[in-house]
Amino acid sequence: MTQDEMKQAVAQAAVDYIQPKLSSDSVVGVGTGSTANFFIDALAKVKHLFDGAVASSEATAERLKAHGITVYDLNEANVLDVYVDGADEFDGHLNLVKGGGGALTREKIVAAVAKEFVCIVDASKKVDVLGDFPLPIEVIPMARSYVAREIVKLEGMPVYREGFVTDNGNEILDVHHLDIVNPKELERTLNNVVGVVTCGLFANRGANIVLMGTERGVETIK
Ligand code: 5RP
């Protein structure tokens, strides 16, 4: 099985998982990235079963609309029963690193609103300790150097993601060499640095369930 086939299988498993929870007024939160794209394509096949979606990025909004799925602004949606999104890493406590695609802030907002966060990954994303994948941090452009210096004090090595602007008009620092043994605390510490919009740690609001595509099929981790 290729990595894309695993992503496709897990995307279909996510649709199967949420389908019984959908009703004609349901609005589904939808993440960003290649696994989320497979999910959107699978979700489109059951679009008659729900009202619409809230997107975590402009790219996701475009893909949903291209499938004829109504996209709502988050402020218009009172309740989001479920949010489905990928991740760059996850650990045994369902803490996540996200933001490889740069959509971390909107992803974190939609995840915060949703009652349930279903994370869809292939097996390569599973780790014992988070931090091999450089941790993305969205920063206000004028604060980039200051935030970088503060991160060095925390023993991380920030790398500016050159030429990349987020959907919110901000920049990304990818932080290498962090050994994330206490993800909840590090998430709070990083989010408290002035100029940080948010970091890509999803620990204080991690996933409720991870569906992981493997060679043997889709595994559920709760
Ligand atoms: C985007 C994300 C993605 O969920 C993450 O990068 C995983 O992407 P992919 O499914 O392409 O591996 O956080 O900001």
Side-chain angles (χ1 to χ4, degrees):
M1 231 185 187
T2 65
Q3 199 179 21
D4 270 359
E5 283 167 341
M6 282 190 243
K7 289 181 182 186
Q8 220 163 351
V10 84
Q12 184 56 53
V15 172
D16 296 343
Y17 176 77
I18 68 166
Q19 190 166 327
K21 304 167 194 258
L22 296 178
S23 66
S24 56
D25 58 0
S26 303
V27 178
V28 180
V30 183
T32 298
S34 57
T35 319
N37 282 344
F38 283 123
F39 171 71
I40 295 167
D41 298 345
L43 187 68
K45 296 190 184 104
V46 296
K47 66 180 178 189
H48 55 286
L49 297 179
F50 62 99
D51 182 22
V54 165
S56 62
S57 65
E58 300 297 333
T60 286
E62 286 317 307
R63 197 173 186 101
L64 287 163
K65 286 180 199 163
H67 278 296
I69 297 172
T70 304
V71 176
Y72 290 104
D73 184 285
L74 182 59
N75 294 304
E76 296 175 284
N78 289 328
V79 181
L80 281 186
D81 286 326
V82 67
Y83 176 57
V84 180
D85 196 2
D88 300 301
E89 281 186 341
F90 77 98
D91 70 12
H93 300 287
L94 309 196
N95 301 308
L96 317 173
V97 167
K98 293 185 44 54
L104 59 161
T105 300
R106 293 190 188 193
E107 292 173 339
K108 200 175 269 196
I109 294 167
V110 184
V113 173
K115 288 189 199 156
E116 185 176 15
F117 180 177
V118 179
C119 184
I120 51 174
V121 290
D122 64 81
S124 70
K125 307 292 180 71
K126 190 172 185 210
V127 296
D128 290 330
V129 179
L130 301 173
D132 277 350
F133 189 92
L135 179 67
I137 301 186
E138 180 163 354
V139 295
I140 301 289
M142 71 177 287
R144 189 183 73 233
S145 301
Y146 169 71
V147 172
R149 290 194 294 275
E150 292 300 299
I151 286 168
V152 169
K153 289 184 198 165
L154 297 169
E155 301 187 344
M157 196 191 78
V159 176
Y160 171 42
R161 201 182 289 184
E162 281 193 55
F164 186 87
V165 179
T166 70
D167 285 348
N168 312 308
N170 296 317
E171 296 174 348
I172 298 277
L173 292 170
D174 292 302
V175 185
H176 297 247
H177 302 159
L178 283 174
D179 194 17
I180 307 177
V181 286
N182 191 338
K184 286 189 173 67
E185 191 182 316
L186 185 63
E187 181 180 6
R188 281 191 290 265
T189 302
L190 290 170
N191 286 350
N192 268 335
V193 176
V194 172
V196 167
V197 180
T198 200
C199 73
L201 273 169
F202 286 55
N204 291 291
R205 200 288 180 248
N208 298 103
I209 179 170
V210 172
L211 302 177
M212 179 175 76
T214 75
E215 293 285 354
R216 301 166 302 284
V218 175
E219 286 178 20
T220 302
I221 304 152
K222 282 193 201 185

PDB file of all heavy atoms in Angstrom, residues 4 7 10 23-24 26 29-30 37 63-64 78 99 118 137 150 157 174-175 188 198 203 216:
ATOM      1  N   ASP A   4      -0.343   7.310  -0.107  1.00  0.00           N
ATOM      2  CA  ASP A   4      -1.593   7.923  -0.570  1.00  0.00           C
ATOM      3  C   ASP A   4      -2.771   6.966  -0.421  1.00  0.00           C
ATOM      4  O   ASP A   4      -3.892   7.389  -0.091  1.00  0.00           O
ATOM      5  CB  ASP A   4      -1.464   8.355  -2.037  1.00  0.00           C
ATOM      6  CG  ASP A   4      -0.940   9.784  -2.144  1.00  0.00           C
ATOM      7  OD1 ASP A   4      -0.711  10.411  -1.090  1.00  0.00           O
ATOM      8  OD2 ASP A   4      -0.753  10.254  -3.276  1.00  0.00           O
ATOM      9  N   LYS A   7      -3.801   7.085   3.105  1.00  0.00           N
ATOM     10  CA  LYS A   7      -4.530   8.329   3.386  1.00  0.00           C
ATOM     11  C   LYS A   7      -5.969   8.237   2.863  1.00  0.00           C
ATOM     12  O   LYS A   7      -6.913   8.679   3.508  1.00  0.00           O
ATOM     13  CB  LYS A   7      -3.820   9.525   2.736  1.00  0.00           C
ATOM     14  CG  LYS A   7      -2.503   9.888   3.419  1.00  0.00           C
ATOM     15  CD  LYS A   7      -1.826  11.086   2.770  1.00  0.00           C
ATOM     16  CE  LYS A   7      -0.507  11.377   3.451  1.00  0.00           C
ATOM     17  NZ  LYS A   7       0.155  12.588   2.980  1.00  0.00           N
ATOM     18  N   VAL A  10      -8.033   5.972   5.126  1.00  0.00           N
ATOM     19  CA  VAL A  10      -8.383   6.574   6.409  1.00  0.00           C
ATOM     20  C   VAL A  10      -9.412   7.697   6.205  1.00  0.00           C
ATOM     21  O   VAL A  10     -10.279   7.927   7.062  1.00  0.00           O
ATOM     22  CB  VAL A  10      -7.086   7.013   7.136  1.00  0.00           C
ATOM     23  CG1 VAL A  10      -6.592   8.360   6.714  1.00  0.00           C
ATOM     24  CG2 VAL A  10      -7.275   6.942   8.621  1.00  0.00           C
ATOM     25  N   SER A  23     -26.866  14.944  10.143  1.00  0.00           N
ATOM     26  CA  SER A  23     -28.281  15.172   9.859  1.00  0.00           C
ATOM     27  C   SER A  23     -28.360  16.346   8.886  1.00  0.00           C
ATOM     28  O   SER A  23     -27.336  16.981   8.594  1.00  0.00           O
ATOM     29  CB  SER A  23     -29.033  15.503  11.151  1.00  0.00           C
ATOM     30  OG  SER A  23     -28.572  16.739  11.630  1.00  0.00           O
ATOM     31  N   SER A  24     -29.585  16.645   8.446  1.00  0.00           N
ATOM     32  CA  SER A  24     -29.734  17.655   7.393  1.00  0.00           C
ATOM     33  C   SER A  24     -29.261  19.046   7.842  1.00  0.00           C
ATOM     34  O   SER A  24     -28.997  19.902   7.010  1.00  0.00           O
ATOM     35  CB  SER A  24     -31.182  17.711   6.924  1.00  0.00           C
ATOM     36  OG  SER A  24     -31.995  17.953   8.042  1.00  0.00           O
ATOM     37  N   SER A  26     -26.526  19.432   9.932  1.00  0.00           N
ATOM     38  CA  SER A  26     -25.141  19.334  10.433  1.00  0.00           C
ATOM     39  C   SER A  26     -24.187  20.166   9.597  1.00  0.00           C
ATOM     40  O   SER A  26     -24.279  20.202   8.370  1.00  0.00           O
ATOM     41  CB  SER A  26     -24.616  17.891  10.355  1.00  0.00           C
ATOM     42  OG  SER A  26     -25.416  17.010  11.035  1.00  0.00           O
ATOM     43  N   GLY A  29     -16.744  20.442  10.344  1.00  0.00           N
ATOM     44  CA  GLY A  29     -15.470  21.164  10.283  1.00  0.00           C
ATOM     45  C   GLY A  29     -14.472  20.352   9.470  1.00  0.00           C
ATOM     46  O   GLY A  29     -14.343  19.147   9.672  1.00  0.00           O
ATOM     47  N   VAL A  30     -13.795  21.029   8.560  1.00  0.00           N
ATOM     48  CA  VAL A  30     -12.901  20.298   7.651  1.00  0.00           C
ATOM     49  C   VAL A  30     -11.489  20.899   7.675  1.00  0.00           C
ATOM     50  O   VAL A  30     -11.313  22.119   7.548  1.00  0.00           O
ATOM     51  CB  VAL A  30     -13.451  20.294   6.214  1.00  0.00           C
ATOM     52  CG1 VAL A  30     -12.551  19.462   5.300  1.00  0.00           C
ATOM     53  CG2 VAL A  30     -14.868  19.733   6.184  1.00  0.00           C
ATOM     54  N   ASN A  37      -7.711  16.487   2.060  1.00  0.00           N
ATOM     55  CA  ASN A  37      -8.237  16.546   0.687  1.00  0.00           C
ATOM     56  C   ASN A  37      -8.919  15.237   0.292  1.00  0.00           C
ATOM     57  O   ASN A  37      -9.982  15.239  -0.330  1.00  0.00           O
ATOM     58  CB  ASN A  37      -7.115  16.866  -0.304  1.00  0.00           C
ATOM     59  CG  ASN A  37      -6.761  18.343  -0.306  1.00  0.00           C
ATOM     60  OD1 ASN A  37      -7.532  19.166   0.200  1.00  0.00           O
ATOM     61  ND2 ASN A  37      -5.606  18.684  -0.867  1.00  0.00           N
ATOM     62  N   ARG A  63     -11.796  23.657  -2.336  1.00  0.00           N
ATOM     63  CA  ARG A  63     -12.038  22.246  -2.702  1.00  0.00           C
ATOM     64  C   ARG A  63     -13.470  21.832  -2.331  1.00  0.00           C
ATOM     65  O   ARG A  63     -14.136  21.118  -3.081  1.00  0.00           O
ATOM     66  CB  ARG A  63     -11.020  21.345  -1.993  1.00  0.00           C
ATOM     67  CG  ARG A  63     -10.916  19.947  -2.600  1.00  0.00           C
ATOM     68  CD  ARG A  63      -9.775  19.172  -1.957  1.00  0.00           C
ATOM     69  NE  ARG A  63      -9.555  17.897  -2.596  1.00  0.00           N
ATOM     70  CZ  ARG A  63      -8.588  17.672  -3.480  1.00  0.00           C
ATOM     71  NH1 ARG A  63      -7.776  18.642  -3.846  1.00  0.00           N
ATOM     72  NH2 ARG A  63      -8.436  16.468  -4.014  1.00  0.00           N
ATOM     73  N   LEU A  64     -13.934  22.284  -1.167  1.00  0.00           N
ATOM     74  CA  LEU A  64     -15.313  21.963  -0.760  1.00  0.00           C
ATOM     75  C   LEU A  64     -16.302  22.557  -1.758  1.00  0.00           C
ATOM     76  O   LEU A  64     -17.241  21.883  -2.209  1.00  0.00           O
ATOM     77  CB  LEU A  64     -15.581  22.523   0.639  1.00  0.00           C
ATOM     78  CG  LEU A  64     -14.899  21.787   1.799  1.00  0.00           C
ATOM     79  CD1 LEU A  64     -14.885  22.665   3.053  1.00  0.00           C
ATOM     80  CD2 LEU A  64     -15.588  20.461   2.110  1.00  0.00           C
ATOM     81  N   ASN A  78     -23.416  27.780  14.618  1.00  0.00           N
ATOM     82  CA  ASN A  78     -23.484  27.757  16.086  1.00  0.00           C
ATOM     83  C   ASN A  78     -22.792  26.526  16.652  1.00  0.00           C
ATOM     84  O   ASN A  78     -22.067  26.597  17.624  1.00  0.00           O
ATOM     85  CB  ASN A  78     -24.944  27.756  16.541  1.00  0.00           C
ATOM     86  CG  ASN A  78     -25.588  29.101  16.276  1.00  0.00           C
ATOM     87  OD1 ASN A  78     -24.907  30.125  16.335  1.00  0.00           O
ATOM     88  ND2 ASN A  78     -26.865  29.095  15.962  1.00  0.00           N
ATOM     89  N   GLY A  99       0.327  21.945  11.269  1.00  0.00           N
ATOM     90  CA  GLY A  99       0.763  23.206  10.675  1.00  0.00           C
ATOM     91  C   GLY A  99       1.796  23.051   9.571  1.00  0.00           C
ATOM     92  O   GLY A  99       2.320  24.039   9.067  1.00  0.00           O
ATOM     93  N   VAL A 118     -11.739  14.443  15.065  1.00  0.00           N
ATOM     94  CA  VAL A 118     -11.324  13.158  14.498  1.00  0.00           C
ATOM     95  C   VAL A 118     -10.065  13.409  13.677  1.00  0.00           C
ATOM     96  O   VAL A 118     -10.096  14.127  12.671  1.00  0.00           O
ATOM     97  CB  VAL A 118     -12.436  12.581  13.587  1.00  0.00           C
ATOM     98  CG1 VAL A 118     -11.999  11.250  12.986  1.00  0.00           C
ATOM     99  CG2 VAL A 118     -13.741  12.435  14.358  1.00  0.00           C
ATOM    100  N   ILE A 137       5.130  27.572  13.992  1.00  0.00           N
ATOM    101  CA  ILE A 137       4.570  28.637  14.832  1.00  0.00           C
ATOM    102  C   ILE A 137       4.183  29.787  13.919  1.00  0.00           C
ATOM    103  O   ILE A 137       5.010  30.276  13.134  1.00  0.00           O
ATOM    104  CB  ILE A 137       5.607  29.112  15.886  1.00  0.00           C
ATOM    105  CG1 ILE A 137       6.028  27.939  16.770  1.00  0.00           C
ATOM    106  CG2 ILE A 137       5.039  30.257  16.725  1.00  0.00           C
ATOM    107  CD1 ILE A 137       6.921  28.319  17.928  1.00  0.00           C
ATOM    108  N   GLU A 150      13.309  34.360  21.386  1.00  0.00           N
ATOM    109  CA  GLU A 150      12.684  33.738  22.567  1.00  0.00           C
ATOM    110  C   GLU A 150      12.684  32.211  22.443  1.00  0.00           C
ATOM    111  O   GLU A 150      12.854  31.493  23.429  1.00  0.00           O
ATOM    112  CB  GLU A 150      11.235  34.250  22.735  1.00  0.00           C
ATOM    113  CG  GLU A 150      11.132  35.708  23.107  1.00  0.00           C
ATOM    114  CD  GLU A 150      11.834  36.023  24.417  1.00  0.00           C
ATOM    115  OE1 GLU A 150      11.441  35.455  25.449  1.00  0.00           O
ATOM    116  OE2 GLU A 150      12.799  36.832  24.398  1.00  0.00           O
ATOM    117  N   MET A 157      15.415  25.516  17.604  1.00  0.00           N
ATOM    118  CA  MET A 157      16.118  26.183  16.504  1.00  0.00           C
ATOM    119  C   MET A 157      15.097  26.624  15.456  1.00  0.00           C
ATOM    120  O   MET A 157      14.611  25.809  14.663  1.00  0.00           O
ATOM    121  CB  MET A 157      17.143  25.238  15.865  1.00  0.00           C
ATOM    122  CG  MET A 157      18.138  26.000  15.005  1.00  0.00           C
ATOM    123  SD  MET A 157      19.116  24.896  14.016  1.00  0.00           S
ATOM    124  CE  MET A 157      18.006  24.487  12.701  1.00  0.00           C
ATOM    125  N   ASP A 174       9.459  27.467  11.664  1.00  0.00           N
ATOM    126  CA  ASP A 174       9.456  26.019  11.924  1.00  0.00           C
ATOM    127  C   ASP A 174      10.573  25.742  12.923  1.00  0.00           C
ATOM    128  O   ASP A 174      11.753  26.016  12.637  1.00  0.00           O
ATOM    129  CB  ASP A 174       9.682  25.241  10.626  1.00  0.00           C
ATOM    130  CG  ASP A 174       8.508  25.382   9.664  1.00  0.00           C
ATOM    131  OD1 ASP A 174       7.389  25.023  10.052  1.00  0.00           O
ATOM    132  OD2 ASP A 174       8.715  25.871   8.527  1.00  0.00           O
ATOM    133  N   VAL A 175      10.207  25.190  14.074  1.00  0.00           N
ATOM    134  CA  VAL A 175      11.177  25.051  15.159  1.00  0.00           C
ATOM    135  C   VAL A 175      11.701  23.615  15.229  1.00  0.00           C
ATOM    136  O   VAL A 175      10.946  22.668  15.484  1.00  0.00           O
ATOM    137  CB  VAL A 175      10.563  25.465  16.509  1.00  0.00           C
ATOM    138  CG1 VAL A 175      11.636  25.430  17.589  1.00  0.00           C
ATOM    139  CG2 VAL A 175       9.970  26.862  16.400  1.00  0.00           C
ATOM    140  N   ARG A 188       1.346  26.172  26.015  1.00  0.00           N
ATOM    141  CA  ARG A 188       0.996  27.403  26.748  1.00  0.00           C
ATOM    142  C   ARG A 188       2.161  28.394  26.718  1.00  0.00           C
ATOM    143  O   ARG A 188       1.972  29.581  26.477  1.00  0.00           O
ATOM    144  CB  ARG A 188       0.630  27.059  28.207  1.00  0.00           C
ATOM    145  CG  ARG A 188      -0.776  26.509  28.355  1.00  0.00           C
ATOM    146  CD  ARG A 188      -1.191  26.451  29.820  1.00  0.00           C
ATOM    147  NE  ARG A 188      -0.462  25.426  30.557  1.00  0.00           N
ATOM    148  CZ  ARG A 188      -0.908  24.187  30.760  1.00  0.00           C
ATOM    149  NH1 ARG A 188      -2.090  23.819  30.288  1.00  0.00           N
ATOM    150  NH2 ARG A 188      -0.193  23.305  31.427  1.00  0.00           N
ATOM    151  N   THR A 198      -0.287  31.503  17.139  1.00  0.00           N
ATOM    152  CA  THR A 198      -0.430  30.233  17.849  1.00  0.00           C
ATOM    153  C   THR A 198       0.675  29.293  17.392  1.00  0.00           C
ATOM    154  O   THR A 198       1.270  29.475  16.320  1.00  0.00           O
ATOM    155  CB  THR A 198      -1.819  29.586  17.656  1.00  0.00           C
ATOM    156  OG1 THR A 198      -2.030  28.643  18.715  1.00  0.00           O
ATOM    157  CG2 THR A 198      -1.954  28.857  16.326  1.00  0.00           C
ATOM    158  N   ALA A 203      -2.374  20.150  22.046  1.00  0.00           N
ATOM    159  CA  ALA A 203      -2.287  19.279  23.218  1.00  0.00           C
ATOM    160  C   ALA A 203      -3.383  19.633  24.224  1.00  0.00           C
ATOM    161  O   ALA A 203      -4.046  18.758  24.759  1.00  0.00           O
ATOM    162  CB  ALA A 203      -0.910  19.410  23.857  1.00  0.00           C
ATOM    163  N   ARG A 216      -2.180  -2.897   7.291  1.00  0.00           N
ATOM    164  CA  ARG A 216      -3.169  -3.926   7.636  1.00  0.00           C
ATOM    165  C   ARG A 216      -4.595  -3.382   7.640  1.00  0.00           C
ATOM    166  O   ARG A 216      -5.533  -4.116   7.912  1.00  0.00           O
ATOM    167  CB  ARG A 216      -2.859  -4.518   9.026  1.00  0.00           C
ATOM    168  CG  ARG A 216      -1.487  -5.146   9.134  1.00  0.00           C
ATOM    169  CD  ARG A 216      -1.100  -5.411  10.576  1.00  0.00           C
ATOM    170  NE  ARG A 216      -1.113  -4.209  11.395  1.00  0.00           N
ATOM    171  CZ  ARG A 216      -0.154  -3.266  11.365  1.00  0.00           C
ATOM    172  NH1 ARG A 216       0.881  -3.387  10.563  1.00  0.00           N
ATOM    173  NH2 ARG A 216      -0.244  -2.194  12.124  1.00  0.00           N
TER     174      ARG A 216
END
